[in-house]
Amino acid sequence: MKRTLLFFRALGAALVLAAELFFLSVAPVSCSMGSEDEPGSPGIKIQSAAPPVLESFTVDSADRMTVRFDKEVSVTDATLSPSGGGGGPVPVSCEDCGDGKTVRMLFAGGTEIGRPYDLNATAGDADGNSLSFRISFDGFNDRPPELILYEVRNAYSSKSNKYEFIRLYCGKGGNLSGLEVLSAGDGEAKAFAFPPVEVSAGDYVTVHLRKMKGDDGSWKQAGMTDEDSGDIRASTATDSSDDAWDFWQDNQKSRLSPSDIVMLRRRADGEVLDALLFRDPKKEADGWDGKYAPFCRAVADSGAWLDEGGNPSSDYAGAFAAAGITSSAVTRTIRRRSPDLRPSSAADWEVVQAK
């Protein structure tokens, strides 16, 4: 009887040990043996095996980026190179911002406005876990121009090669890099990001929202040229202008809705810099489409659109009533009455005959 009891005790201990070893072999942890001389050491230490998580990054200037992780880390092996080659690596040094989780990356010599870069580095924590990461970004623009939305056409005619466009006015010169235009009707995926082009005060900038092809796959018209080389007269297609910087979006589908919210926005943080809200007066009771909600909040928070009382708003009732604007009204556009660098309201816009 005693031998039998001892046998079962030994068997039970073996099963427990086997279960512990199985757990350690499949659980997502790393182990290290503790010293027997350490007070209270259990013999085995279980450490977290989760690698650091890159939570956010901000390009602060031409020579600095701030990167934040979910835990305290040490960043090593950092290199910065122009995307796609075309230049050597830029030396990078790292500084702890004080909390262990936030690291400042310093670029020797700085970056070029609008040029795409790739930052590669490794973040390691105190437990020996590491994360290799890459951050792709455009060179910081410290000279953005002051732009406002000036004219919009939400109609098109394939027969006459006239399509939707957004035109802006430049009140103060600078570089377009880091800015974008989009509409709530089209959504985030169809935002147009400007290339790093220098513009001057008094210039106009036109984003043509379609670049059409014929049935045979060839371009429907010649001269749909992006004026990103510094020649303001390079684009010669329909609706191009020698007095405006012309850019063509590679798209062949209908753009802008009968009731829509058009925005000029800063890409880095999503801040709305200017907005135009227009509505179809034949659908007075409809209100904004439900998918417009985040865009409405962004516009209201920015103060870029005002109601009749001069208060920040994005209400449907306060949008410009675009009478006579239909999907086929290519002879009409919605135009700002004067290019004043200030938030606008419905009273600042009118429907005019397109030039």
Side-chain angles (χ1 to χ4, degrees):
M1 180 68 179
K2 186 175 182 179
R3 290 181 179 178
T4 301
L5 181 60
L6 291 174
F7 171 78
F8 280 110
R9 285 180 176 176
L11 179 60
L15 291 174
V16 170
L17 178 59
E20 290 178 343
L21 291 175
F22 175 78
F23 173 78
L24 292 175
S25 69
V26 299
V29 298
S30 60
C31 305
S32 63
M33 298 305 297
S35 170
E36 293 182 358
D37 297 331
E38 294 178 3
S41 172
I44 296 180
K45 292 181 178 179
I46 309 300
Q47 299 174 340
S48 170
V53 174
L54 174 60
E55 292 186 332
S56 64
F57 73 90
T58 304
V59 181
D60 304 307
S61 65
D63 60 2
R64 188 171 68 249
M65 171 191 289
T66 301
V67 185
R68 182 170 178 80
F69 300 87
D70 68 331
K71 61 172 71 174
E72 294 186 13
V73 298
S74 176
V75 176
T76 58
D77 304 324
T79 60
L80 179 69
S81 302
S83 302
V90 178
V92 180
S93 58
C94 306
E95 294 180 353
D96 180 11
C97 292
D99 61 359
K101 298 180 180 180
T102 308
V103 180
R104 185 178 295 113
M105 320 287 281
L106 303 176
F107 312 140
T111 54
E112 297 178 26
I113 293 177
R115 188 172 188 178
Y117 290 89
D118 294 320
L119 172 71
N120 292 277
T122 299
D125 63 19
D127 293 328
N129 306 306
S130 64
L131 168 72
S132 295
F133 62 93
R134 170 178 291 183
I135 297 174
S136 298
F137 66 99
D138 292 338
F140 184 79
N141 181 10
D142 60 354
R143 297 186 300 100
E146 291 185 12
L147 297 173
I148 55 171
L149 296 168
Y150 178 72
E151 187 174 13
V152 169
R153 181 165 71 202
N154 68 332
Y156 66 92
S157 170
S158 298
K159 183 177 180 180
S160 60
N161 284 329
K162 290 181 176 290
Y163 298 97
E164 305 92 328
F165 66 73
I166 298 172
R167 183 166 291 140
L168 303 98
Y169 173 78
C170 179
K172 179 181 178 181
N175 195 291
L176 293 173
S177 177
L179 302 178
E180 63 184 4
V181 290
L182 72 161
S183 76
D186 292 332
E188 296 283 352
K190 293 184 179 179
F192 176 83
F194 286 104
V197 172
E198 294 286 333
V199 295
S200 302
D203 286 352
Y204 291 91
V205 179
T206 304
V207 180
H208 305 269
L209 299 179
R210 291 208 228 182
K211 192 176 182 181
M212 298 297 290
K213 291 183 178 180
D215 295 336
D216 62 353
S218 63
W219 296 117
K220 289 195 67 175
Q221 59 174 332
M224 295 181 291
T225 304
D226 288 332
E227 296 173 338
D228 53 4
S229 62
D231 183 2
I232 199 171
R233 299 184 177 184
S235 181
T236 58
T238 304
D239 290 326
S240 298
S241 171
D242 290 347
D243 299 323
W245 296 97
D246 293 287
F247 303 99
W248 296 82
Q249 195 159 21
D250 192 7
N251 162 70
Q252 299 187 61
K253 296 183 178 181
S254 179
R255 300 293 299 276
L256 302 179
S257 301
S259 298
D260 214 334
I261 300 173
V262 179
M263 290 165 285
L264 167 67
R265 194 170 69 177
R266 191 162 53 209
R267 294 182 63 196
D269 56 10
E271 181 180 350
V272 177
L273 303 176
D274 196 25
L276 162 62
L277 282 64
F278 62 89
R279 57 183 172 83
D280 183 349
K282 296 179 181 179
K283 300 180 180 180
E284 293 286 350
D286 284 4
W288 295 124
D289 187 293
K291 67 179 182 181
Y292 289 18
F295 301 97
C296 289
R297 287 193 295 270
V299 169
D301 291 344
S302 71
W305 185 260
L306 307 176
D307 61 17
E308 291 183 355
N311 304 305
S313 173
S314 60
D315 291 343
Y316 185 81
F320 172 67
I325 292 294
T326 66
S327 61
S328 60
V330 293
T331 60
R332 305 184 189 96
T333 64
I334 306 170
R335 187 183 300 168
R336 206 168 188 143
R337 295 180 184 276
S338 62
D340 297 330
L341 298 180
R342 60 175 177 79
S344 64
S345 67
D348 295 301
W349 295 83
E350 61 183 341
V351 173
V352 299
Q353 291 293 120
K355 292 182 180 180

